Each structure stands twice: as structure tokens, then as C-alpha cells.
Amino acid sequence: MSHVNKKLANIPVATATLNKPALTRDGKVRPQPLQAGIKLLGKDKIARAPANITPTTNETRIQKPNWIRAKFPGGKAVRELKETLRKNNLHSVCEEANCPNLGECFGKGVASFMIMGAICTRRCTFCAVAHGRPNLLDPNEPENLARTIAEMKLRHVVITSVDRDDLLDGGAQHFVDCIRKVREYAPNTTVETLTPDFRGREQKALDILLTEPPDIFNHNLETTERLYRDARPGSDYQVSLDLLKNFKKACPSVPTKSGLMVGLGETDDEVYAVMRDMRAHDVDMLTIGQYLQPSNYHLPVKRYVTPAQFERYEATAIELGFTHVAAGPLVRSSYFADEHAQEIL
């Protein structure tokens, strides 16, 4: 053993702490750095969220009622549409978010496209979409998307995205590039965008979006203000409301739209309060659906809202002045979006 190694050998080592994980200030294990392109789902995703969620079990999970019945997501039309998406390197929110209406919509040749990849920079604890460090934007995506939409001969298309907090404009320019290409390849197709909140970049993103506004501008509030911290970490209730109002103010001819989930622990009075806030911020269209837990590690379902209560939501929304309302257990933001778009446009 060399002289140096002898000295090192005599230095006491706290072997018990060699592989001890780093902790945050509140004593939690500090998450490992993210690797680009790696999806974190279920337990791995929720572990990085600030909310403390006790995983559900068969004993603690509320049983689904008989009115929650989705169409089997199989069949020839579904397989063909999935093949088309994979061939063109495209994603659908229908697949990534585990939408219960996938079988019905894909069976009719209808899909809601999700741009900018399938990895979200946020860690929303209600959402099935993967969290992680996204890959770089695909410069060919706008053309691939537009060509696919033209081949499908869609009357109306919903374009949504993951949150891209890693981009200086939150992805606003990529939305614009996609809209322009769709209008070039499929001029008879109406375009609805379902955007993130662009938090911290709202004005810059709005200025970019207004250079090529969609036919319908959609941004979901998702839940009540009280539940934002647990359900939408990184998002802000007022920021979302202001985004909708500011877009409407700048582009009054374009209908605005938003959506809510129920069953996360909100009260009916809170739901009605969100509706009033939406109308006060000039939101025209509304969707309300039942929250369904994507995994045992996501926020649990606190209640299953009855079809009768959804009817009451719809009646109240119409009284408040929404032009179009879709409320029901399996309603999602883009459910029947093509039909509602044809009516309102």
C-alpha cells in the first residue's frame, strides 16, 4: 500500500451514509434529476408532486356506479387510427390521458391531437399524461399534423398540448405553426385549440397566438380554486381565468371555452361559483365531466356525481349565459367538440 493510500485507509468513513438519499427541507427524499425523453407515470410521477396522497386500495376506493360505462376501446377503426398516428409521429390526448371515450371517438374517426410530445413539465395529480423532461420540439410536426388531418377529412379538429414550461413562449409559436399548416392543407377544417396556461409567459404567448387565432379558444380550469394546490401544482386559478378573458378581449369574435372535472372533493356550490367566475371572464362554452382516477397513486375519487346533478349543472350554466354546455359523467373537453363547433360557428 502506498504512503497516500495508508493515510486514506486510516480516515474514518461513515459507511451508513454513503448511499443515503438527499432530502428536501421537509424531510422528503429529493427526486433524482430527470432524463430527457423518459416518461414518469403513476407512482413515479406523483412522487414528484408536492401533494401528499395516500394510495388507494380495493378497501378505500369508491366503487364505480353503473352509469360509468365506457365503450370498449378496440375494433378496426381504432386500430387504424392508432396506426395513422404512429406512422406520422403524432400523439392524441385521447390515448395519453386515458380518455374513457377513446373507443367511441376513434370509432367515428375523431381524435384530439396532442402536440409538442407526450411528456409534460407539470405534475398535475389528476392527470394520466406522463411527467418528465420533454424532448426538443419536432419541426416536422405541424406539417405531419396538417397532412394527417387533411387525409382524415375532418370537419373540426382539437389541438391540445402538454405543458412546456421549458420553452420561452410555452409553446405558443408551435401552436401557431400547427394552425397555419392545418389551414393550408385543410382549409375547410375548423380548428379548436386547448392550450396550457403559459404561466409566467401569458402575455408573450397571447401576443403570438393572436397572430393566427383558432376558430375556438379552449383552456380548462379543471377544478375549483380551493383544490388547485393539490390538483394542479404549478398552475394558478386566476392566471387561467385571465388568459381566457384577455384572449376574448383581444379577439371577441372567437368563442372561448373551458372545462371542469367533478369528484375531486369540491362542493356543488363551488362548482356554481366557478361557472360564475367563467362567465365574469367572458367564457362562452363549458364542459363538465366526472373525474376518474388514472392510477392508485393519483388523487382519489371523492364522489361520483349523479346524472341528475349533471343535468342541474347544465341547467344552471345555461341560465348563466353559456352558449353551449356539455355536462355528463363521461363528458370531456373535446367530447362532441365537432358537433358543438358546427353549431356555434
Side-chain angles (χ1 to χ4, degrees), residues 21-24 26-32 47:
L23 302 178
T24 61
D26 58 0
K28 292 183 178 180
V29 175
R30 189 178 299 279
Q32 293 297 310

Side-chain angles (χ1 to χ4, degrees), residues 249-262:
K249 182 178 179 180
C251 206
S253 63
V254 175
T256 49
K257 179 178 176 182
S258 192
L260 284 174
M261 299 172 299
V262 288

Side-chain angles (χ1 to χ4, degrees), residues 29-82:
V29 175
R30 189 178 299 279
Q32 293 297 310
L34 297 171
Q35 298 181 35
I38 302 299
K39 286 184 173 183
L40 299 182
L41 295 162
K43 181 180 180 180
D44 294 329
K45 171 184 175 176
I46 302 305
R48 302 183 73 92
N52 291 317
I53 301 173
T54 301
T56 54
T57 64
N58 290 336
E59 289 72 31
T60 60
R61 188 182 302 110
I62 301 175
Q63 186 175 357
K64 284 184 183 179
N66 57 14
W67 61 77
I68 302 288
R69 292 289 181 270
K71 186 175 179 180
F72 174 69
K76 183 172 182 288
V78 173
R79 290 195 302 273
E80 289 177 349
L81 184 47
K82 286 184 177 182

Side-chain angles (χ1 to χ4, degrees), residues 73-288:
K76 183 172 182 288
V78 173
R79 290 195 302 273
E80 289 177 349
L81 184 47
K82 286 184 177 182
E83 288 172 3
T84 298
L85 294 173
R86 300 297 86 78
K87 180 179 68 176
N88 292 288
N89 197 28
L90 298 174
H91 302 277
S92 74
V93 70
C94 321
E95 296 173 276
E96 302 299 334
N98 295 340
C99 179
N101 304 311
L102 184 149
E104 180 179 355
C105 294
F106 273 26
K108 296 188 296 185
V110 176
S112 295
F113 297 93
M114 191 167 76
I115 60 174
M116 295 190 273
I119 298 178
C120 187
T121 54
R122 303 276 175 96
R123 301 153 297 171
C124 294
T125 55
F126 67 87
C127 182
V129 174
H131 167 64
R133 181 180 169 188
N135 291 314
L136 297 176
L137 292 179
D138 178 3
N140 299 316
E141 185 172 51
E143 185 163 357
N144 288 340
L145 174 67
R147 182 165 33 79
T148 301
I149 290 169
E151 290 173 359
M152 293 174 67
K153 297 182 173 62
L154 299 179
R155 292 184 306 170
H156 181 75
V157 62
V158 178
I159 302 173
T160 188
S161 78
V162 290
D163 280 281
R164 291 298 301 258
D165 297 314
D166 57 315
L167 303 175
L168 293 177
D169 65 352
Q173 185 60 53
H174 201 72
F175 265 103
V176 166
D177 294 342
C178 287
I179 295 171
R180 285 177 175 159
K181 280 295 181 183
V182 170
R183 287 174 172 161
E184 176 186 337
Y185 277 75
N188 295 322
T189 300
T190 52
V191 178
E192 176 179 333
T193 55
L194 173 53
T195 74
D197 59 11
F198 306 108
R199 187 179 180 186
R201 309 166 178 82
E202 304 98 280
Q203 190 57 54
K204 180 176 184 178
L206 192 60
D207 291 341
I208 294 171
L209 292 172
L210 291 171
T211 64
E212 191 72 41
D215 297 293
I216 296 176
F217 179 77
N218 189 349
H219 170 66
N220 286 337
L221 264 73
E222 305 289 12
T223 188
T224 64
E225 183 174 15
R226 177 176 61 86
L227 297 175
Y228 255 56
R229 181 174 181 179
D230 286 340
R232 299 192 71 193
S235 302
D236 184 273
Y237 183 76
Q238 192 61 50
V239 165
S240 288
L241 284 171
D242 290 343
L243 177 67
L244 287 156
K245 184 167 187 172
N246 292 335
F247 182 92
K248 187 68 173 181
K249 182 178 179 180
C251 206
S253 63
V254 175
T256 49
K257 179 178 176 182
S258 192
L260 284 174
M261 299 172 299
V262 288
L264 283 167
E266 74 295 322
T267 66
D268 290 332
D269 286 343
E270 286 179 309
V271 174
Y272 296 131
V274 177
M275 290 186 197
R276 292 192 292 271
D277 285 344
M278 287 182 181
R279 290 298 298 135
H281 288 75
D282 301 324
V283 177
D284 301 307
M285 307 171 68
L286 172 65
T287 58
I288 309 177

